[in-house]
Amino acid sequence: MKTRKPSAKSRPTTLKVESLEPHRMHAEGKVLTTDQGIPISDTDNSLKAGVRGPTLLEDFHFREKMMRFDHERIPERAVHARGSGAHGYFQVYKSLEKYTQASFLTDPSLRTPVFVRFSTVGGSRGSADTVRDVRGFATKFYTEQGNFDLVGNNMPVFFIQDGIKFPDFVHSVKPEPHNEIPQASSAHDSLWDFVSLVPETSHMVMWLMSDRAIPRSYRMMEGFGVHTFRLVNAEGKAHLVKFHWKPLLGNHALAWDEAQKLSGKDPDFHRRDLWDAIEAGDFPEYELGLQILPEGDELKYGFDLLDATKLLPEELVPVQRVGKLTLNRNPDNFFAETEQVAFCVANVVPGIDFTNDPLMQARLFSYLDTQLTRLGGPNFAELPINKPVCPVTNHQQDGFGRHTIPTSRANYHPNTLGGGCPVLANPAMAFHHRQERVEGHKIRARSNSFSDHFSQATLFYKSLSKPEQEHVVAALEFEIGKVERVEIRERVVNQILVNIDPALAARVARAVGVEPPKATKPAKAPKASGKKGAPSVDTSPALSMENSPHDSIKTRKIAALVSDGFAGKELDGVRKALAERGATLEVVGPTLSPVTSLEGREERPLRTFANTSSVTYDAVYVPGGEKSVAALKRVPQAVDFVREAYIHCKALALSADAVLLLSAAGVDDLEPAPTKGVEAMRGVVRSAKTETKGFGQLFAEAIAKRHWERETPLA
Ligand code: HDE
């Protein structure tokens, strides 16, 4: 792991990062003081009446130190409590002025500063990163027209259609109220009770059961704005738009067993991965994708674009890649930046506007409201991380924690005392809500155009590759199998799954011990459309992660297992081959003391079998060397390394005698080991002897993807 560069100044910067400088406290070379600046020469002993006497009330240093400690915690986010943030910038490729007047989307020379926070949803602040969950992908663009927050997720749809159901949904998925169990898991009665009674959850639940819910890295997952937004140009012409983030490293997932083990072995797996990549200069990059369509097309595709449980298949409206987001700097302080950042869906700039999606409408209220409790009052926009980089002038005043010092006597509008200032903006520059014509009766009801709950759940399932479908089945078996009440299990199978795919429902029914559903007819055609003649697709290849590029091993981490007598020259060759492709080889040995190679050179392991395991790596390599392999065979943890990497469908490379570790690990379903040359089979690269040509190349190719073909369905 790379250590942090010492000087913040030498690290990448943006206008926003620079604006934080006056707020930073640099301790280097400075004297310890109280909050009032009084120098302190003893912070280890309280002031007492006699060395063995009671502490005195006048010890202001003790009281301040303890008072500050006592009040360090703030309420965690109601959802998305666990997260990791990074600074960076966004740059548009070419002007989108045809669609929007937002300057960060029209000026290709502009590098707009951003702060991004990734998160899980259900778990507490200290919960594990790799749980099965939706991931938040929230971006604050500090534009010259004010802050624009794109508060998205890594899945393009949501569980519910109307925001008024959000408290119900969140209550059901969070730990149950009587015993606060389970932490960061949807595998419990209350969530599945809710799902079984609320069919609009079906589509999102299929995403939650898919590999999308266990990403390999925040750097390797997509992001979605979910709702349909509006882009509005300078002439006031509007288009509908769906926002996407496309990771340049492709879409990759963990195996479910691996994700669960990682929760214990390294609960900070995603946080660490993001932090390390940025520190190493491997800056995560995502392209902004837009699906743009005419305003009149809200109902064209047979479902309602205002319904957040529906996605717009990319095959119907292609995603145009319009710019790039680069994350190039870690925060200086987790609390001040990542914890205090406050996103709000209502933060839009001229050129971007809302729609009537009832989920979005509720969010416009909630995000502003929640900060009052979380950040202790209405002045949270003044916190350094939240402050826009453009001027902020208004008549807002007072409240807890006010930072700004207004200098005018006039704190109202209109005024003459302050010369009428701040003056109203020129309408051409100002934000205008789209003048959409609306009329209707006040009514508490759901539109008929929101009534189809299953077609897109089916579309999603049908669009997955076979292994991905098997993972959904296994996830359902895991989750519903944990539900204690049999009637909930029955309802999930017979009210929900059967309407998505009867064969899937029948398999899950068997696995969770309930009566299989009566209906056996095949799933209805997944037209995602109730309307005759509406453009539709039978499958959407873009929904399968396996169809995203899997040709790079950049930034991947590979373990090399060694003991005394390993083939050093061979290891060097493989290390070089991987490094040339942007991957890193970490040597894992019996201890952190040097091991000696066959050729007599020393290699110092970075990790040991006691403090790491295969789940923290993308692939495993065992170099040849009879003595080394014989020693590794005697270490159960080393054998486990190979066994688990095999079970988790990761690439393995074993040369010469190292092939023996496969049988020691119980892997006996590969053909006999090659007697000459190199061979790759189901992601396992084996060679007859060390240093065989092409070994590194074949290994690199194997690392680029998971080898799900090794899996056998459970039931
Ligand atoms: Fe959120 N959501 N949400 N949400 N959400 C919050 O705001 C809410 C929804 C999302 O890193 C909260 O500041 C309602 C969809 C992210 O700080 C809260 C509804 C999507 C984050 C809130 C939704 C999201 C949040 C909690 C339904 C994807 C983390 C703390 C009407 C498009 C942002 C906070 C961060 C956080 C409310 C649904 C994404 C309570 C009422 C859909 C990424 O205000």
PDB file of all heavy atoms in Angstrom, residues 398-414:
ATOM      1  N   ASP A 398     -28.533  34.588  10.594  1.00  0.00           N
ATOM      2  CA  ASP A 398     -28.492  33.981  11.928  1.00  0.00           C
ATOM      3  C   ASP A 398     -28.573  32.440  11.906  1.00  0.00           C
ATOM      4  O   ASP A 398     -28.236  31.826  10.920  1.00  0.00           O
ATOM      5  CB  ASP A 398     -29.580  34.568  12.832  1.00  0.00           C
ATOM      6  CG  ASP A 398     -29.487  36.086  12.941  1.00  0.00           C
ATOM      7  OD1 ASP A 398     -28.485  36.638  12.427  1.00  0.00           O
ATOM      8  OD2 ASP A 398     -30.386  36.711  13.509  1.00  0.00           O
ATOM      9  N   GLY A 399     -29.015  31.864  13.010  1.00  0.00           N
ATOM     10  CA  GLY A 399     -29.070  30.406  13.139  1.00  0.00           C
ATOM     11  C   GLY A 399     -27.783  29.875  13.746  1.00  0.00           C
ATOM     12  O   GLY A 399     -26.745  30.537  13.749  1.00  0.00           O
ATOM     13  N   PHE A 400     -27.863  28.642  14.296  1.00  0.00           N
ATOM     14  CA  PHE A 400     -26.686  28.026  14.914  1.00  0.00           C
ATOM     15  C   PHE A 400     -25.523  27.945  13.920  1.00  0.00           C
ATOM     16  O   PHE A 400     -25.709  27.568  12.773  1.00  0.00           O
ATOM     17  CB  PHE A 400     -27.005  26.608  15.393  1.00  0.00           C
ATOM     18  CG  PHE A 400     -27.848  26.588  16.639  1.00  0.00           C
ATOM     19  CD1 PHE A 400     -29.156  26.138  16.608  1.00  0.00           C
ATOM     20  CD2 PHE A 400     -27.316  27.016  17.852  1.00  0.00           C
ATOM     21  CE1 PHE A 400     -29.934  26.117  17.756  1.00  0.00           C
ATOM     22  CE2 PHE A 400     -28.077  26.999  19.009  1.00  0.00           C
ATOM     23  CZ  PHE A 400     -29.402  26.553  18.963  1.00  0.00           C
ATOM     24  N   GLY A 401     -24.347  28.289  14.397  1.00  0.00           N
ATOM     25  CA  GLY A 401     -23.130  28.059  13.620  1.00  0.00           C
ATOM     26  C   GLY A 401     -22.985  28.959  12.414  1.00  0.00           C
ATOM     27  O   GLY A 401     -22.430  28.557  11.400  1.00  0.00           O
ATOM     28  N   ARG A 402     -23.490  30.174  12.481  1.00  0.00           N
ATOM     29  CA  ARG A 402     -23.346  31.085  11.338  1.00  0.00           C
ATOM     30  C   ARG A 402     -21.879  31.472  11.164  1.00  0.00           C
ATOM     31  O   ARG A 402     -21.221  31.869  12.129  1.00  0.00           O
ATOM     32  CB  ARG A 402     -24.205  32.333  11.582  1.00  0.00           C
ATOM     33  CG  ARG A 402     -24.153  33.365  10.464  1.00  0.00           C
ATOM     34  CD  ARG A 402     -25.114  33.029   9.366  1.00  0.00           C
ATOM     35  NE  ARG A 402     -24.628  33.400   8.070  1.00  0.00           N
ATOM     36  CZ  ARG A 402     -25.326  34.124   7.164  1.00  0.00           C
ATOM     37  NH1 ARG A 402     -26.528  34.541   7.441  1.00  0.00           N
ATOM     38  NH2 ARG A 402     -24.816  34.381   5.988  1.00  0.00           N
ATOM     39  N   HIS A 403     -21.356  31.349   9.942  1.00  0.00           N
ATOM     40  CA  HIS A 403     -19.962  31.712   9.675  1.00  0.00           C
ATOM     41  C   HIS A 403     -19.851  33.074   9.013  1.00  0.00           C
ATOM     42  O   HIS A 403     -18.961  33.857   9.305  1.00  0.00           O
ATOM     43  CB  HIS A 403     -19.338  30.736   8.673  1.00  0.00           C
ATOM     44  CG  HIS A 403     -19.045  29.399   9.221  1.00  0.00           C
ATOM     45  ND1 HIS A 403     -19.858  28.725  10.084  1.00  0.00           N
ATOM     46  CD2 HIS A 403     -17.996  28.571   9.001  1.00  0.00           C
ATOM     47  CE1 HIS A 403     -19.345  27.564  10.370  1.00  0.00           C
ATOM     48  NE2 HIS A 403     -18.217  27.447   9.733  1.00  0.00           N
ATOM     49  N   THR A 404     -20.732  33.315   8.059  1.00  0.00           N
ATOM     50  CA  THR A 404     -20.623  34.517   7.236  1.00  0.00           C
ATOM     51  C   THR A 404     -20.957  35.761   8.065  1.00  0.00           C
ATOM     52  O   THR A 404     -21.840  35.709   8.919  1.00  0.00           O
ATOM     53  CB  THR A 404     -21.613  34.402   6.061  1.00  0.00           C
ATOM     54  OG1 THR A 404     -21.353  33.168   5.418  1.00  0.00           O
ATOM     55  CG2 THR A 404     -21.476  35.535   5.076  1.00  0.00           C
ATOM     56  N   ILE A 405     -20.271  36.835   7.793  1.00  0.00           N
ATOM     57  CA  ILE A 405     -20.539  38.092   8.502  1.00  0.00           C
ATOM     58  C   ILE A 405     -21.108  39.083   7.493  1.00  0.00           C
ATOM     59  O   ILE A 405     -20.369  39.711   6.745  1.00  0.00           O
ATOM     60  CB  ILE A 405     -19.250  38.650   9.131  1.00  0.00           C
ATOM     61  CG1 ILE A 405     -18.612  37.585  10.028  1.00  0.00           C
ATOM     62  CG2 ILE A 405     -19.539  39.939   9.894  1.00  0.00           C
ATOM     63  CD1 ILE A 405     -17.246  37.958  10.553  1.00  0.00           C
ATOM     64  N   PRO A 406     -22.443  39.187   7.443  1.00  0.00           N
ATOM     65  CA  PRO A 406     -23.020  40.148   6.489  1.00  0.00           C
ATOM     66  C   PRO A 406     -22.661  41.562   6.938  1.00  0.00           C
ATOM     67  O   PRO A 406     -22.777  41.885   8.126  1.00  0.00           O
ATOM     68  CB  PRO A 406     -24.527  39.896   6.581  1.00  0.00           C
ATOM     69  CG  PRO A 406     -24.673  38.611   7.338  1.00  0.00           C
ATOM     70  CD  PRO A 406     -23.479  38.501   8.214  1.00  0.00           C
ATOM     71  N   THR A 407     -22.249  42.415   6.053  1.00  0.00           N
ATOM     72  CA  THR A 407     -21.788  43.750   6.447  1.00  0.00           C
ATOM     73  C   THR A 407     -22.834  44.829   6.192  1.00  0.00           C
ATOM     74  O   THR A 407     -22.650  45.974   6.575  1.00  0.00           O
ATOM     75  CB  THR A 407     -20.497  44.116   5.684  1.00  0.00           C
ATOM     76  OG1 THR A 407     -20.764  43.968   4.288  1.00  0.00           O
ATOM     77  CG2 THR A 407     -19.347  43.228   6.097  1.00  0.00           C
ATOM     78  N   SER A 408     -23.936  44.435   5.538  1.00  0.00           N
ATOM     79  CA  SER A 408     -24.933  45.458   5.209  1.00  0.00           C
ATOM     80  C   SER A 408     -25.940  45.629   6.336  1.00  0.00           C
ATOM     81  O   SER A 408     -26.258  44.682   7.057  1.00  0.00           O
ATOM     82  CB  SER A 408     -25.661  45.049   3.932  1.00  0.00           C
ATOM     83  OG  SER A 408     -26.723  45.928   3.681  1.00  0.00           O
ATOM     84  N   ARG A 409     -26.478  46.852   6.464  1.00  0.00           N
ATOM     85  CA  ARG A 409     -27.518  47.119   7.452  1.00  0.00           C
ATOM     86  C   ARG A 409     -28.867  46.596   6.955  1.00  0.00           C
ATOM     87  O   ARG A 409     -29.802  46.404   7.718  1.00  0.00           O
ATOM     88  CB  ARG A 409     -27.568  48.633   7.667  1.00  0.00           C
ATOM     89  CG  ARG A 409     -28.325  49.027   8.886  1.00  0.00           C
ATOM     90  CD  ARG A 409     -28.155  50.505   9.121  1.00  0.00           C
ATOM     91  NE  ARG A 409     -29.276  51.006   9.866  1.00  0.00           N
ATOM     92  CZ  ARG A 409     -29.556  52.282  10.038  1.00  0.00           C
ATOM     93  NH1 ARG A 409     -28.776  53.196   9.513  1.00  0.00           N
ATOM     94  NH2 ARG A 409     -30.599  52.650  10.734  1.00  0.00           N
ATOM     95  N   ALA A 410     -28.952  46.425   5.635  1.00  0.00           N
ATOM     96  CA  ALA A 410     -30.223  45.973   5.052  1.00  0.00           C
ATOM     97  C   ALA A 410     -30.218  44.456   4.933  1.00  0.00           C
ATOM     98  O   ALA A 410     -29.390  43.880   4.220  1.00  0.00           O
ATOM     99  CB  ALA A 410     -30.406  46.599   3.678  1.00  0.00           C
ATOM    100  N   ASN A 411     -31.144  43.819   5.684  1.00  0.00           N
ATOM    101  CA  ASN A 411     -31.227  42.356   5.594  1.00  0.00           C
ATOM    102  C   ASN A 411     -32.602  41.953   5.070  1.00  0.00           C
ATOM    103  O   ASN A 411     -33.196  40.973   5.502  1.00  0.00           O
ATOM    104  CB  ASN A 411     -30.931  41.700   6.943  1.00  0.00           C
ATOM    105  CG  ASN A 411     -31.829  42.222   8.038  1.00  0.00           C
ATOM    106  OD1 ASN A 411     -32.637  43.127   7.788  1.00  0.00           O
ATOM    107  ND2 ASN A 411     -31.712  41.667   9.223  1.00  0.00           N
ATOM    108  N   TYR A 412     -33.117  42.733   4.156  1.00  0.00           N
ATOM    109  CA  TYR A 412     -34.448  42.499   3.603  1.00  0.00           C
ATOM    110  C   TYR A 412     -34.485  43.025   2.175  1.00  0.00           C
ATOM    111  O   TYR A 412     -33.628  43.816   1.751  1.00  0.00           O
ATOM    112  CB  TYR A 412     -35.502  43.219   4.465  1.00  0.00           C
ATOM    113  CG  TYR A 412     -35.165  44.673   4.690  1.00  0.00           C
ATOM    114  CD1 TYR A 412     -35.590  45.655   3.803  1.00  0.00           C
ATOM    115  CD2 TYR A 412     -34.354  45.037   5.778  1.00  0.00           C
ATOM    116  CE1 TYR A 412     -35.220  46.979   3.986  1.00  0.00           C
ATOM    117  CE2 TYR A 412     -33.990  46.359   5.960  1.00  0.00           C
ATOM    118  CZ  TYR A 412     -34.425  47.333   5.057  1.00  0.00           C
ATOM    119  OH  TYR A 412     -34.047  48.633   5.225  1.00  0.00           O
ATOM    120  N   HIS A 413     -35.481  42.577   1.474  1.00  0.00           N
ATOM    121  CA  HIS A 413     -35.663  43.017   0.085  1.00  0.00           C
ATOM    122  C   HIS A 413     -37.105  43.446  -0.098  1.00  0.00           C
ATOM    123  O   HIS A 413     -38.003  42.734   0.382  1.00  0.00           O
ATOM    124  CB  HIS A 413     -35.352  41.852  -0.866  1.00  0.00           C
ATOM    125  CG  HIS A 413     -35.627  42.197  -2.303  1.00  0.00           C
ATOM    126  ND1 HIS A 413     -34.697  42.806  -3.124  1.00  0.00           N
ATOM    127  CD2 HIS A 413     -36.756  42.040  -3.055  1.00  0.00           C
ATOM    128  CE1 HIS A 413     -35.233  42.998  -4.316  1.00  0.00           C
ATOM    129  NE2 HIS A 413     -36.481  42.535  -4.298  1.00  0.00           N
ATOM    130  N   PRO A 414     -37.422  44.555  -0.693  1.00  0.00           N
ATOM    131  CA  PRO A 414     -36.468  45.521  -1.264  1.00  0.00           C
ATOM    132  C   PRO A 414     -35.922  46.429  -0.183  1.00  0.00           C
ATOM    133  O   PRO A 414     -36.489  46.520   0.905  1.00  0.00           O
ATOM    134  CB  PRO A 414     -37.346  46.284  -2.252  1.00  0.00           C
ATOM    135  CG  PRO A 414     -38.732  46.189  -1.691  1.00  0.00           C
ATOM    136  CD  PRO A 414     -38.815  44.876  -0.963  1.00  0.00           C
TER     137      PRO A 414
END
